[in-house]
């Protein structure tokens, strides 16, 4: 039960299954373009993970996300901190709050761009 307890675990299973469908079955079919249905399914998965990531932050009613202070903690507590995490943690509070607001804009309304029928929107 531990594997399926996080949102990205199920996402990995979905995308892994789609990757199997996308892979050529033989060397003779390697030069064919991928199936349109599989490509659309990948777009749907990307839309779904982005939208769900944004909505879950609102539904959880977590004070750090609601007050736009989540990044104050994120840089110091992430599982695999990057070399730039310490520097990002030192950024002014206003810039970190603006970054959290940007995260909401990218993950919720921005996710809709993945399912629009026009490739230019993506």
């Amino acid at each position: 039960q531990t594997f399926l307890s996080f949102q990205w675990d199920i996402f990995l299973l979905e995308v892994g299954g789609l990757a199997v469908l996308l892979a050529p079955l033989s060397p003779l079919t390697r030069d064919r373009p991928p199936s349109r249905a599989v490509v659309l399914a990948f777009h749907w998965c990307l839309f779904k993970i982005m939208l769900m990531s944004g909505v879950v932050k609102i539904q959880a009613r977590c004070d750090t996300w609601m007050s736009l202070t989540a990044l104050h903690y994120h840089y110091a507590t992430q599982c695999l901190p990057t070399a730039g995490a310490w520097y990002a943690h030192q950024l002014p509070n206003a810039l970190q709050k603006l970054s959290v607001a940007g995260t909401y804009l990218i993950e919720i309304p921005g996710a809709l761009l993945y399912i629009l029928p026009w490739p230019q929107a993506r």
Side-chain angles (χ1 to χ4, degrees), residues 9 19 34 38-40 44 65 79 85 87 94 104 107 110 112 114 122:
D9 298 333
V38 174
V39 172
L40 289 174
W44 178 255
W65 282 104
C79 298
Y87 297 104
Y104 279 128
E107 288 182 344
L112 297 173
Y114 289 116
R122 291 183 230 129

Side-chain angles (χ1 to χ4, degrees), residues 55-106:
V55 169
V56 76
K57 290 175 177 81
I58 295 171
Q59 281 184 334
R61 297 181 190 221
C62 178
D63 291 336
T64 59
W65 282 104
M66 299 309 273
S67 63
L68 303 179
T69 59
L71 289 180
H72 295 144
Y73 305 99
H74 171 71
Y75 298 122
T77 61
Q78 59 185 325
C79 298
L80 299 170
T82 62
W86 184 86
Y87 297 104
H89 187 68
Q90 307 308 316
L91 292 172
N93 289 340
L95 187 57
Q96 290 188 22
K97 285 186 175 191
L98 186 65
S99 296
V100 174
T103 300
Y104 279 128
L105 285 173
I106 291 168

Side-chain angles (χ1 to χ4, degrees), residues 23-39:
L25 296 175
S26 75
L28 299 175
T29 60
R30 188 177 6 186
D31 295 332
R32 288 188 190 162
S35 163
R36 180 111 173 105
V38 174
V39 172

